[in-house]
Amino acid sequence: MHKSAPFHSCLLMLLVLLVSFSKAQNSCKLAFSGRVLDYDTHQPLQGAIVRVHDINITNTTDTSGYFIIQHLCAGNHSISISHIGCTTISEHIHFKKNMYHVFELPHLANQLQEVVVSGFKKTQVGQLQQDIREQALEMSRGTTLGEALSKITGVTVLQTGTNIFKPVINGLHSNRVLIINNGIRQEGQQWGSEHAPEIDPYIANKLTVIKGASSIQYGGDAIGGVVLVEPKLLPNAVGKYAELNTAVFRNNRMGVLSGFWQQHLKRQPFSYRVQATIKRGGNARTPNYWLANSGLAEANLSVAAAYQMKNSGHDFFYSLFNTKIGIFSGSHIGNVTDMLQAINVGEPPEYIKKEGFSYVINRPYQQVRHHLFKHKYYQILPNKSRINVVSALQYNSRDEFDTKRFASSSNNPQLSLQLFSASTEMNWEHKLLRKTKSNWGVTASYQQNSYQYRYFIPNYQSMNAAIFFIEKYQWQKWQVEAGIRHDIKWLSAITSNTGKIYKNQLFRGTNGTVGLNYTHSDVWQSSLHIGTAWRSPHINELFSDGLHHGAARIEKGNSQLQPERAYSLALGSQLQTNHWQLSVGLFTKSIQNFIYLNPVYPPELTIRGAFPTFAYTQTNALLYGLDANSEWQINHHLSLLTKLSLLRAKNTTTNEWLIAMPSDRLEQAIKYHFSDAGKWKEPYIQLAILHVWKQHRIPASGNIPFIQPDGTTKWLADYANPPEAYFLLNAEASITHQGRKNKQVIGLVINNLSNTVYKDYLNSFRYFAHEMGTNIALKVKFPFQL
């Protein structure tokens, strides 16, 4: 931490200098006017909403499609234009003088999306729902889905080394966080912390996090929240479009290439998109040594197609995610003594640190493949209601290759898992009463898991059925949303390959939620959400027994675990003026029978090496905290951004803190927008300091012995104490080049600019190594409008 502290002072000095030399704030007298037309007919669209997001000003087009917004300040503004039944257009525009612009909105009469009921608006208040799109999403390209989501306040990541990240929402993760990939619940093998979502982030046009029980419509077990991975809509106007994205990263010398081609046929109501990504990286480096065998290789593909008729249509989607991930050599150690010594020292032995850079991925490593196929059919009925039927098939294959102990050992994986999933959902969107919007539906799913070679979890079959009802009501400044859902889950045919048979498991539960949103004024909104949700124990929590390969630990399940029941309360408020935006969310969750992994002693020695041991147990828990972010626009060039996340997690049974919960964190950034220069548009630079506190809120004692310098034994709750607090200095910059027909976006991102030596509490490899050092990434987007 001492290495980074001077940078905090440097940032404050830079702020003073930029404020001193920035231009005086103008009188904000610019006008933005224009016209909104239908893309296909070129007829004016009356009632289109034009919104300037950063200052929360809106205007509605008249009968001729015209609008005008006055009193704008010079600088960059985020603009959106929306109309019922049309695709919303979002743009960043730099204002230096009065501006007039004509917008053409593609109509969605035949598009495959939800029916929009007049009078309703999508409310995102406080910290209950947030998304990443446009510029922020562009700057995260090339990273994993978990890393991209960590840009959202209240979302952290559960790490395994430098390549595996999964989202943690207000302290909850894995099976408590649902990931919806293009409308389909991602059914990967979430058996633990190192089984990250098998999704290529390049397919996403927007990433949305919905926190808390308001996510009821997506699944009964979304206690932590829901992540929506939403691709760009397929075009409904004749034309061709292509895009190429490149990214290079300095630390592990990783290169990423991703692109897509899409087209709408000239004489057919048919459009399609083909997208692919390849990624290759070598060993990552801490400030002081290389992380041996930490490379990765990835090759992904997706195909989307839509056939759209007047009142019905079909939507198809296929994706393949294929990755090979090296597991850091220093985490697989041959005997218990050496393992405990490595944890005591906190970094790998010299013979591992001496290994330099390499792209070669040796054992131990994992090979993961995930196939997803989706078909959606919709039918608009004469009363304007709509029936949607969505079916999906998924196949997930995971092979785990351990270090060979003998030259004659087989080249086969030491564990091979295959998970097949099939699901279907039918829902009816309609207006039950005036000023209401209803969504009623039923879902059903089937899973079959099988394994080969060594045991970790058993073979099993799972069936799930659910019914849900969601109602929305709009009245003046109030919007009310209520929902109820009932799920039944059955685990059967639970066997091991040695012939052991386990007892079938039947779980059922009901979820309910009520949400209130109130608009006080044009600049102030508030919300209140209360709900209850349940989650049945997952197969690994019940029956795991063996090496969790990627996390480098032994895990033991507990067949006596009971379902979790959560009671949630969330308050949110958002204030937005011309130059200042503040968003605050307060939350609390009381969870009965909370399931968690508890470190136990002694560590276990196997033929594959020695590993720390963890066992699943449950208790009653209380989680509460605060998420807040603000943006102060000092003038049309300079702005200050702040993000704060605080979490407290108590074991109410023992009156102690829960283990493995995110630390408090504060991020402060200064952002400077430069003026456009000819064809170079929207240039900016941003410097940010991330401060992560040491996690002092851990259980006071446990069953793991630690010999102190005076020879006495202290009993700890974990194999190693939480790491020290740390500061990280990060920077990013971006500029757009406007060509004759297309524009290119160039971005530069520098993480850990000061090359700080640190560890993160939520990285399972913190026992054995430090985090990555300085990493510089250059990213370029080339769009082609044909």
Side-chain angles (χ1 to χ4, degrees), residues 260-335:
F260 69 83
W261 166 277
Q262 67 182 30
Q263 181 179 6
H264 184 89
L265 300 188
K266 193 170 185 179
R267 293 183 174 86
Q268 297 291 332
F270 181 79
S271 55
Y272 69 92
R273 180 188 301 122
V274 179
Q275 180 267 345
T277 300
I278 55 174
K279 179 188 295 188
R280 183 67 186 273
N283 292 344
R285 182 174 175 81
T286 74
N288 299 320
Y289 53 89
W290 292 97
L291 296 168
N293 201 50
S294 58
L296 81 158
E298 194 172 297
N300 308 317
L301 172 71
S302 70
V303 180
Y307 185 77
Q308 306 156 11
M309 295 165 284
K310 183 177 181 180
N311 292 313
S312 63
H314 297 268
D315 183 15
F316 301 91
F317 179 73
Y318 167 78
S319 68
L320 166 65
F321 181 89
N322 183 24
T323 186
K324 181 179 180 180
I325 302 174
I327 304 300
F328 172 53
S329 301
S331 65
H332 285 229
I333 300 175
N335 59 72

Coordinates of all heavy atoms in Angstrom, one line a residue, residues 260-335:
F260 N -18.1 -9.4 -36.3 CA -19.4 -10.0 -36.7 C -19.8 -9.4 -38.0 O -19.4 -8.3 -38.4 CB -20.5 -9.8 -35.6 CG -20.9 -8.4 -35.4 CD1 -21.9 -7.8 -36.2 CD2 -20.4 -7.6 -34.4 CE1 -22.3 -6.5 -36.0 CE2 -20.8 -6.3 -34.2 CZ -21.8 -5.8 -35.0
W261 N -20.7 -10.1 -38.7 CA -21.3 -9.7 -40.0 C -22.8 -9.9 -39.8 O -23.2 -11.0 -39.4 CB -20.7 -10.5 -41.1 CG -21.5 -10.4 -42.4 CD1 -22.7 -11.1 -42.7 CD2 -21.3 -9.6 -43.5 NE1 -23.1 -10.7 -44.0 CE2 -22.3 -9.8 -44.5 CE3 -20.3 -8.6 -43.8 CZ2 -22.3 -9.1 -45.7 CZ3 -20.3 -8.0 -45.0 CH2 -21.3 -8.2 -45.9
Q262 N -23.6 -8.9 -40.1 CA -25.0 -9.1 -40.1 C -25.6 -8.5 -41.4 O -25.1 -7.6 -42.0 CB -25.6 -8.4 -38.9 CG -25.5 -6.9 -38.8 CD -26.1 -6.3 -37.5 OE1 -26.0 -7.0 -36.5 NE2 -26.6 -5.1 -37.6
Q263 N -26.8 -9.0 -41.7 CA -27.5 -8.6 -42.9 C -29.0 -8.8 -42.8 O -29.4 -9.8 -42.2 CB -26.9 -9.4 -44.1 CG -27.5 -9.1 -45.4 CD -26.9 -9.9 -46.6 OE1 -26.2 -10.8 -46.4 NE2 -27.3 -9.6 -47.8
H264 N -29.7 -7.9 -43.4 CA -31.2 -8.1 -43.6 C -31.4 -8.3 -45.1 O -31.0 -7.4 -45.9 CB -32.0 -6.9 -43.1 CG -33.4 -7.1 -43.1 ND1 -34.2 -7.6 -42.1 CD2 -34.3 -6.8 -44.1 CE1 -35.4 -7.7 -42.4 NE2 -35.6 -7.2 -43.6
L265 N -32.1 -9.4 -45.5 CA -32.2 -9.7 -46.9 C -33.2 -8.7 -47.5 O -34.1 -8.2 -46.9 CB -32.7 -11.1 -47.1 CG -31.8 -12.2 -46.5 CD1 -32.3 -13.6 -46.9 CD2 -30.3 -12.0 -47.0
K266 N -33.0 -8.5 -48.8 CA -33.7 -7.5 -49.5 C -35.2 -7.8 -49.7 O -36.0 -6.9 -49.5 CB -33.1 -7.3 -50.9 CG -33.5 -6.0 -51.6 CD -32.7 -5.8 -52.8 CE -33.0 -4.4 -53.5 NZ -32.2 -4.1 -54.7
R267 N -35.6 -9.0 -50.1 CA -37.0 -9.3 -50.4 C -37.6 -10.3 -49.4 O -38.6 -10.8 -49.7 CB -37.1 -9.8 -51.8 CG -36.8 -8.7 -52.9 CD -37.0 -9.3 -54.3 NE -36.8 -8.2 -55.3 CZ -35.6 -7.8 -55.8 NH1 -34.5 -8.5 -55.4 NH2 -35.5 -6.9 -56.7
Q268 N -36.9 -10.6 -48.3 CA -37.4 -11.5 -47.4 C -37.4 -10.9 -46.0 O -36.5 -10.2 -45.6 CB -36.5 -12.8 -47.4 CG -36.5 -13.6 -48.7 CD -37.9 -14.2 -48.9 OE1 -38.6 -14.6 -48.0 NE2 -38.2 -14.4 -50.2
P269 N -38.4 -11.3 -45.1 CA -38.3 -10.7 -43.7 C -37.4 -11.5 -42.9 O -37.7 -12.1 -41.8 CB -39.8 -10.9 -43.3 CG -40.2 -12.1 -44.1 CD -39.5 -12.1 -45.4
F270 N -36.1 -11.6 -43.3 CA -35.1 -12.5 -42.7 C -33.8 -11.7 -42.5 O -33.4 -11.0 -43.3 CB -34.8 -13.7 -43.5 CG -33.8 -14.7 -43.0 CD1 -34.2 -15.5 -42.0 CD2 -32.5 -14.7 -43.4 CE1 -33.3 -16.4 -41.4 CE2 -31.6 -15.5 -42.8 CZ -32.0 -16.4 -41.9
S271 N -33.3 -11.8 -41.3 CA -32.0 -11.2 -41.0 C -31.1 -12.2 -40.2 O -31.7 -13.1 -39.5 CB -32.2 -9.9 -40.2 OG -33.0 -10.1 -39.0
Y272 N -29.8 -12.0 -40.2 CA -28.9 -12.9 -39.5 C -27.7 -12.2 -39.1 O -27.3 -11.1 -39.6 CB -28.6 -14.1 -40.4 CG -27.7 -13.8 -41.6 CD1 -26.3 -13.9 -41.5 CD2 -28.3 -13.4 -42.8 CE1 -25.5 -13.6 -42.6 CE2 -27.5 -13.0 -43.9 CZ -26.1 -13.1 -43.8 OH -25.3 -12.8 -44.8
R273 N -26.9 -12.8 -38.2 CA -25.6 -12.3 -37.7 C -24.7 -13.5 -37.4 O -25.2 -14.5 -36.8 CB -25.8 -11.4 -36.5 CG -24.5 -10.9 -35.9 CD -24.6 -10.2 -34.6 NE -25.6 -9.1 -34.6 CZ -26.7 -9.0 -33.9 NH1 -26.9 -10.0 -33.0 NH2 -27.5 -8.0 -34.0
V274 N -23.5 -13.4 -37.8 CA -22.5 -14.4 -37.5 C -21.3 -13.7 -36.8 O -20.8 -12.6 -37.2 CB -21.9 -15.1 -38.8 CG1 -20.8 -16.1 -38.4 CG2 -23.0 -15.8 -39.5
Q275 N -21.0 -14.2 -35.6 CA -20.0 -13.5 -34.7 C -18.9 -14.6 -34.3 O -19.3 -15.7 -34.0 CB -20.7 -12.9 -33.6 CG -19.8 -12.2 -32.6 CD -19.3 -13.0 -31.4 OE1 -19.9 -14.1 -31.2 NE2 -18.3 -12.6 -30.7
A276 N -17.7 -14.2 -34.1 CA -16.6 -15.1 -33.7 C -15.6 -14.3 -32.9 O -15.4 -13.1 -33.1 CB -16.0 -15.8 -34.8
T277 N -14.9 -15.0 -31.9 CA -13.9 -14.4 -31.1 C -12.8 -15.4 -30.9 O -13.0 -16.6 -30.7 CB -14.4 -13.9 -29.7 OG1 -15.4 -13.0 -29.9 CG2 -13.3 -13.3 -28.9
I278 N -11.5 -14.9 -31.1 CA -10.4 -15.8 -30.7 C -9.5 -15.0 -29.7 O -9.4 -13.7 -29.8 CB -9.5 -16.2 -31.9 CG1 -9.1 -15.0 -32.7 CG2 -10.3 -17.2 -32.7 CD1 -8.1 -15.4 -33.8
K279 N -8.9 -15.7 -28.8 CA -8.1 -15.0 -27.7 C -7.0 -15.9 -27.3 O -7.2 -17.2 -27.2 CB -9.0 -14.8 -26.5 CG -8.3 -14.1 -25.3 CD -9.3 -14.1 -24.1 CE -10.5 -13.2 -24.3 NZ -11.2 -13.1 -23.0
R280 N -5.8 -15.4 -27.1 CA -4.7 -16.2 -26.7 C -3.8 -15.3 -25.8 O -3.4 -14.2 -26.2 CB -3.9 -16.6 -27.9 CG -2.7 -17.5 -27.6 CD -3.1 -18.9 -27.1 NE -2.0 -19.7 -26.6 CZ -1.3 -20.5 -27.4 NH1 -1.6 -20.6 -28.6 NH2 -0.4 -21.3 -26.8
G281 N -3.5 -15.8 -24.6 CA -2.6 -15.2 -23.7 C -1.7 -16.1 -23.0 O -1.9 -17.3 -22.9
G282 N -0.5 -15.6 -22.6 CA 0.5 -16.4 -21.9 C 0.5 -16.2 -20.4 O -0.5 -15.7 -19.8
N283 N 1.6 -16.5 -19.8 CA 1.7 -16.4 -18.3 C 1.6 -14.9 -17.9 O 2.1 -14.0 -18.6 CB 3.1 -16.9 -17.9 CG 3.2 -18.4 -18.0 OD1 2.2 -19.1 -18.2 ND2 4.4 -18.9 -18.0
A284 N 0.8 -14.7 -16.9 CA 0.7 -13.3 -16.3 C 1.9 -13.1 -15.4 O 2.6 -14.0 -14.9 CB -0.6 -13.2 -15.6
R285 N 2.1 -11.8 -15.1 CA 3.2 -11.4 -14.2 C 2.8 -10.5 -13.1 O 2.0 -9.6 -13.3 CB 4.3 -10.7 -15.0 CG 5.5 -10.3 -14.2 CD 6.6 -9.7 -15.1 NE 7.7 -9.2 -14.2 CZ 8.7 -10.0 -13.7 NH1 8.7 -11.3 -14.0 NH2 9.6 -9.5 -12.9
T286 N 3.2 -10.9 -11.9 CA 3.0 -10.0 -10.7 C 4.1 -8.9 -10.8 O 5.0 -9.0 -11.7 CB 3.1 -10.7 -9.4 OG1 4.5 -11.1 -9.2 CG2 2.3 -12.0 -9.4
P287 N 4.2 -7.9 -9.9 CA 5.3 -7.0 -10.0 C 6.6 -7.6 -9.8 O 7.6 -7.0 -10.3 CB 5.0 -6.0 -8.8 CG 3.5 -6.1 -8.7 CD 3.1 -7.5 -9.0
N288 N 6.7 -8.8 -9.2 CA 8.0 -9.4 -8.9 C 8.3 -10.7 -9.6 O 9.5 -11.2 -9.6 CB 8.2 -9.5 -7.4 CG 8.1 -8.2 -6.7 OD1 8.6 -7.2 -7.2 ND2 7.4 -8.2 -5.6
Y289 N 7.3 -11.4 -10.1 CA 7.6 -12.7 -10.7 C 6.5 -13.1 -11.6 O 5.4 -12.6 -11.6 CB 7.8 -13.8 -9.6 CG 6.6 -13.9 -8.6 CD1 5.5 -14.7 -8.8 CD2 6.7 -13.2 -7.4 CE1 4.5 -14.8 -7.9 CE2 5.6 -13.2 -6.5 CZ 4.6 -14.0 -6.8 OH 3.5 -14.1 -5.9
W290 N 6.8 -14.1 -12.5 CA 5.8 -14.7 -13.4 C 4.9 -15.7 -12.7 O 5.4 -16.4 -11.9 CB 6.5 -15.3 -14.7 CG 7.2 -14.3 -15.6 CD1 8.5 -14.0 -15.6 CD2 6.6 -13.5 -16.6 NE1 8.8 -13.1 -16.5 CE2 7.6 -12.7 -17.2 CE3 5.3 -13.4 -17.1 CZ2 7.3 -11.8 -18.2 CZ3 5.0 -12.5 -18.1 CH2 6.1 -11.7 -18.7
L291 N 3.7 -15.8 -13.1 CA 2.8 -16.8 -12.6 C 2.8 -18.0 -13.6 O 2.2 -18.0 -14.7 CB 1.4 -16.3 -12.5 CG 1.2 -15.2 -11.5 CD1 -0.1 -14.5 -11.6 CD2 1.4 -15.7 -10.1
A292 N 3.6 -19.0 -13.3 CA 3.8 -20.1 -14.2 C 2.5 -20.8 -14.6 O 1.6 -21.1 -13.7 CB 4.8 -21.1 -13.6
N293 N 2.4 -21.1 -15.8 CA 1.2 -21.9 -16.4 C -0.1 -21.2 -16.2 O -1.1 -21.8 -15.8 CB 1.2 -23.3 -15.7 CG 0.4 -24.3 -16.6 OD1 0.6 -24.4 -17.8 ND2 -0.6 -25.0 -15.9
S294 N -0.1 -19.9 -16.4 CA -1.4 -19.1 -16.2 C -1.9 -18.6 -17.5 O -2.7 -17.7 -17.6 CB -1.1 -17.9 -15.2 OG -0.1 -17.1 -15.7
G295 N -1.5 -19.2 -18.6 CA -2.0 -18.8 -19.9 C -3.4 -19.3 -20.2 O -4.0 -20.1 -19.5
L296 N -4.0 -18.8 -21.3 CA -5.3 -19.3 -21.8 C -5.4 -19.2 -23.3 O -4.7 -18.4 -23.9 CB -6.4 -18.4 -21.1 CG -6.8 -17.1 -21.8 CD1 -8.2 -16.6 -21.4 CD2 -5.8 -16.0 -21.4
A297 N -6.3 -20.0 -23.8 CA -6.6 -19.9 -25.3 C -8.1 -20.1 -25.4 O -8.8 -20.9 -24.7 CB -5.9 -21.1 -26.0
E298 N -8.7 -19.3 -26.3 CA -10.2 -19.3 -26.3 C -10.6 -19.1 -27.8 O -10.0 -18.3 -28.5 CB -10.8 -18.1 -25.5 CG -12.2 -18.2 -25.2 CD -12.6 -17.1 -24.2 OE1 -12.1 -17.2 -23.0 OE2 -13.4 -16.2 -24.6
A299 N -11.7 -19.8 -28.2 CA -12.3 -19.6 -29.6 C -13.8 -19.8 -29.4 O -14.3 -20.9 -29.0 CB -11.7 -20.7 -30.5
N300 N -14.5 -18.7 -29.8 CA -16.0 -18.7 -29.6 C -16.7 -18.4 -30.9 O -16.1 -17.7 -31.8 CB -16.3 -17.7 -28.5 CG -15.6 -17.9 -27.2 OD1 -15.4 -19.0 -26.8 ND2 -15.1 -16.8 -26.7
L301 N -17.9 -18.8 -31.0 CA -18.7 -18.6 -32.2 C -20.2 -18.4 -31.8 O -20.6 -19.1 -30.9 CB -18.6 -19.8 -33.2 CG -19.5 -19.8 -34.4 CD1 -19.1 -18.8 -35.4 CD2 -19.5 -21.2 -35.0
S302 N -20.9 -17.5 -32.5 CA -22.3 -17.4 -32.3 C -23.0 -17.1 -33.6 O -22.4 -16.4 -34.5 CB -22.7 -16.4 -31.2 OG -22.4 -15.1 -31.7
V303 N -24.2 -17.6 -33.8 CA -25.0 -17.3 -35.0 C -26.4 -17.0 -34.5 O -27.0 -17.7 -33.7 CB -25.1 -18.5 -35.9 CG1 -25.9 -18.2 -37.1 CG2 -23.7 -19.0 -36.3
A304 N -27.0 -15.8 -35.0 CA -28.3 -15.4 -34.7 C -29.1 -15.2 -36.0 O -28.5 -14.7 -37.0 CB -28.3 -14.1 -33.8
A305 N -30.4 -15.5 -36.0 CA -31.2 -15.3 -37.1 C -32.7 -15.1 -36.7 O -33.1 -15.5 -35.6 CB -31.2 -16.6 -38.1
A306 N -33.4 -14.3 -37.5 CA -34.8 -14.0 -37.2 C -35.6 -14.0 -38.5 O -35.2 -13.4 -39.5 CB -34.9 -12.6 -36.5
Y307 N -36.8 -14.6 -38.4 CA -37.7 -14.6 -39.5 C -39.0 -13.9 -39.0 O -39.6 -14.4 -38.1 CB -38.1 -16.0 -40.0 CG -38.9 -16.0 -41.2 CD1 -38.4 -15.7 -42.5 CD2 -40.3 -16.3 -41.1 CE1 -39.2 -15.7 -43.6 CE2 -41.1 -16.3 -42.2 CZ -40.6 -16.0 -43.5 OH -41.4 -16.0 -44.6
Q308 N -39.3 -12.7 -39.5 CA -40.3 -11.8 -39.0 C -41.5 -11.6 -39.9 O -41.3 -11.1 -41.0 CB -39.7 -10.5 -38.6 CG -38.4 -10.6 -37.8 CD -37.5 -9.4 -37.9 OE1 -37.8 -8.4 -38.5 NE2 -36.3 -9.6 -37.4
M309 N -42.6 -12.0 -39.5 CA -43.9 -11.8 -40.2 C -44.7 -10.7 -39.6 O -44.2 -10.1 -38.6 CB -44.6 -13.1 -40.3 CG -43.9 -14.2 -41.1 SD -44.6 -15.8 -40.9 CE -43.9 -16.3 -39.3
K310 N -45.9 -10.4 -40.1 CA -46.6 -9.3 -39.6 C -47.0 -9.4 -38.1 O -46.8 -8.5 -37.3 CB -47.9 -9.1 -40.4 CG -48.7 -7.9 -40.0 CD -49.9 -7.7 -40.9 CE -50.7 -6.5 -40.5 NZ -51.9 -6.3 -41.3
N311 N -47.5 -10.6 -37.7 CA -48.0 -10.8 -36.3 C -47.3 -11.9 -35.6 O -47.8 -12.4 -34.6 CB -49.5 -10.9 -36.2 CG -50.2 -9.6 -36.6 OD1 -49.8 -8.5 -36.1 ND2 -51.2 -9.7 -37.5
S312 N -46.3 -12.5 -36.2 CA -45.6 -13.6 -35.6 C -44.2 -13.6 -36.1 O -43.8 -12.9 -37.0 CB -46.3 -14.9 -35.9 OG -46.3 -15.1 -37.3
G313 N -43.4 -14.5 -35.5 CA -42.0 -14.6 -36.0 C -41.2 -15.7 -35.2 O -41.7 -16.2 -34.2
H314 N -40.0 -16.0 -35.7 CA -39.1 -16.9 -35.1 C -37.8 -16.3 -34.9 O -37.3 -15.5 -35.7 CB -39.0 -18.2 -36.0 CG -40.2 -18.9 -36.3 ND1 -40.6 -20.0 -35.5 CD2 -41.2 -18.7 -37.2 CE1 -41.8 -20.5 -36.0 NE2 -42.1 -19.7 -37.0
D315 N -37.1 -16.7 -33.8 CA -35.8 -16.1 -33.4 C -35.0 -17.3 -33.1 O -35.3 -18.2 -32.3 CB -36.0 -15.2 -32.2 CG -34.7 -14.6 -31.8 OD1 -33.7 -14.6 -32.6 OD2 -34.6 -14.0 -30.7
F316 N -33.8 -17.4 -33.7 CA -32.8 -18.5 -33.5 C -31.5 -18.0 -33.0 O -31.0 -16.9 -33.4 CB -32.6 -19.3 -34.8 CG -33.9 -19.9 -35.4 CD1 -34.6 -19.2 -36.3 CD2 -34.3 -21.2 -35.0 CE1 -35.7 -19.7 -36.9 CE2 -35.5 -21.7 -35.6 CZ -36.2 -21.0 -36.5
F317 N -30.9 -18.8 -32.1 CA -29.6 -18.4 -31.6 C -28.8 -19.6 -31.3 O -29.3 -20.5 -30.6 CB -29.7 -17.5 -30.4 CG -28.4 -17.0 -29.8 CD1 -27.6 -16.1 -30.4 CD2 -28.0 -17.6 -28.6 CE1 -26.4 -15.7 -29.8 CE2 -26.7 -17.2 -28.0 CZ -26.0 -16.2 -28.7
Y318 N -27.5 -19.6 -31.7 CA -26.6 -20.7 -31.3 C -25.3 -20.1 -30.9 O -24.8 -19.1 -31.5 CB -26.3 -21.7 -32.5 CG -25.2 -22.6 -32.2 CD1 -25.3 -23.7 -31.4 CD2 -23.9 -22.3 -32.8 CE1 -24.2 -24.5 -31.1 CE2 -22.8 -23.1 -32.5 CZ -23.0 -24.2 -31.7 OH -21.9 -25.1 -31.4
S319 N -24.7 -20.6 -29.8 CA -23.3 -20.1 -29.4 C -22.5 -21.3 -29.0 O -23.0 -22.3 -28.4 CB -23.5 -19.1 -28.3 OG -23.9 -19.7 -27.1
L320 N -21.2 -21.2 -29.2 CA -20.2 -22.1 -28.8 C -19.1 -21.3 -28.0 O -18.5 -20.4 -28.6 CB -19.6 -22.8 -30.0 CG -18.3 -23.6 -29.6 CD1 -18.5 -24.8 -28.7 CD2 -17.6 -24.2 -30.9
F321 N -18.9 -21.7 -26.8 CA -17.8 -21.1 -26.0 C -16.8 -22.2 -25.7 O -17.1 -23.3 -25.2 CB -18.4 -20.6 -24.7 CG -17.3 -20.0 -23.8 CD1 -17.0 -18.6 -23.9 CD2 -16.7 -20.7 -22.8 CE1 -16.1 -18.0 -23.1 CE2 -15.7 -20.1 -22.0 CZ -15.4 -18.8 -22.1
N322 N -15.5 -22.0 -26.1 CA -14.5 -23.0 -26.0 C -13.2 -22.4 -25.5 O -12.6 -21.5 -26.1 CB -14.3 -23.6 -27.4 CG -13.3 -24.7 -27.4 OD1 -13.1 -25.4 -26.4 ND2 -12.6 -24.9 -28.6
T323 N -12.8 -22.9 -24.3 CA -11.6 -22.3 -23.7 C -10.7 -23.3 -23.1 O -11.2 -24.4 -22.6 CB -12.0 -21.2 -22.6 OG1 -10.9 -20.6 -22.1 CG2 -12.8 -21.9 -21.5
K324 N -9.4 -23.0 -23.1 CA -8.4 -23.9 -22.4 C -7.7 -22.9 -21.4 O -7.2 -21.9 -21.8 CB -7.5 -24.5 -23.4 CG -6.4 -25.4 -22.7 CD -5.5 -26.0 -23.8 CE -4.4 -26.8 -23.1 NZ -3.5 -27.4 -24.2
I325 N -7.7 -23.3 -20.1 CA -7.2 -22.4 -19.1 C -6.1 -23.1 -18.3 O -6.4 -24.2 -17.7 CB -8.4 -21.9 -18.1 CG1 -9.5 -21.2 -18.9 CG2 -7.8 -21.0 -17.0 CD1 -10.7 -20.9 -18.1
G326 N -5.0 -22.5 -18.2 CA -3.9 -23.1 -17.4 C -4.2 -22.8 -15.9 O -4.7 -21.7 -15.6
I327 N -3.9 -23.7 -15.1 CA -4.0 -23.5 -13.6 C -2.6 -23.3 -13.0 O -1.7 -24.1 -13.2 CB -4.6 -24.8 -12.9 CG1 -6.0 -25.1 -13.6 CG2 -4.8 -24.5 -11.4 CD1 -7.0 -24.0 -13.5
F328 N -2.4 -22.2 -12.3 CA -1.1 -21.7 -11.8 C -0.4 -22.9 -11.1 O -1.0 -23.6 -10.2 CB -1.3 -20.6 -10.8 CG -0.1 -20.2 -10.0 CD1 1.1 -19.9 -10.7 CD2 -0.2 -20.1 -8.7 CE1 2.2 -19.5 -10.0 CE2 0.9 -19.7 -7.9 CZ 2.1 -19.4 -8.6
S329 N 0.8 -23.2 -11.5 CA 1.6 -24.4 -11.0 C 1.8 -24.3 -9.5 O 1.8 -25.3 -8.9 CB 2.9 -24.4 -11.7 OG 2.8 -24.5 -13.1
G330 N 1.9 -23.1 -9.0 CA 2.2 -23.0 -7.5 C 1.0 -23.3 -6.6 O 1.2 -23.3 -5.4
S331 N -0.2 -23.6 -7.2 CA -1.3 -24.0 -6.4 C -1.4 -25.5 -6.2 O -2.2 -25.9 -5.4 CB -2.6 -23.4 -7.0 OG -2.8 -24.1 -8.3
H332 N -0.7 -26.3 -7.0 CA -0.7 -27.7 -6.9 C 0.6 -28.2 -6.3 O 1.6 -28.3 -7.1 CB -1.0 -28.4 -8.2 CG -2.5 -28.2 -8.7 ND1 -3.2 -29.3 -9.1 CD2 -3.3 -27.2 -8.6 CE1 -4.5 -28.9 -9.4 NE2 -4.5 -27.6 -9.1
I333 N 0.6 -28.5 -5.0 CA 1.9 -28.7 -4.3 C 1.9 -30.2 -3.8 O 0.8 -30.7 -3.4 CB 2.0 -27.8 -3.1 CG1 2.1 -26.3 -3.7 CG2 3.3 -28.0 -2.3 CD1 2.1 -25.2 -2.7
G334 N 3.1 -30.8 -3.8 CA 3.2 -32.2 -3.6 C 2.9 -32.8 -2.3 O 2.4 -33.9 -2.1
N335 N 3.1 -32.1 -1.1 CA 2.9 -32.6 0.2 C 2.4 -31.5 1.1 O 2.5 -30.3 0.8 CB 4.2 -33.2 0.7 CG 5.3 -32.2 0.9 OD1 5.3 -31.4 1.7 ND2 6.3 -32.3 0.0

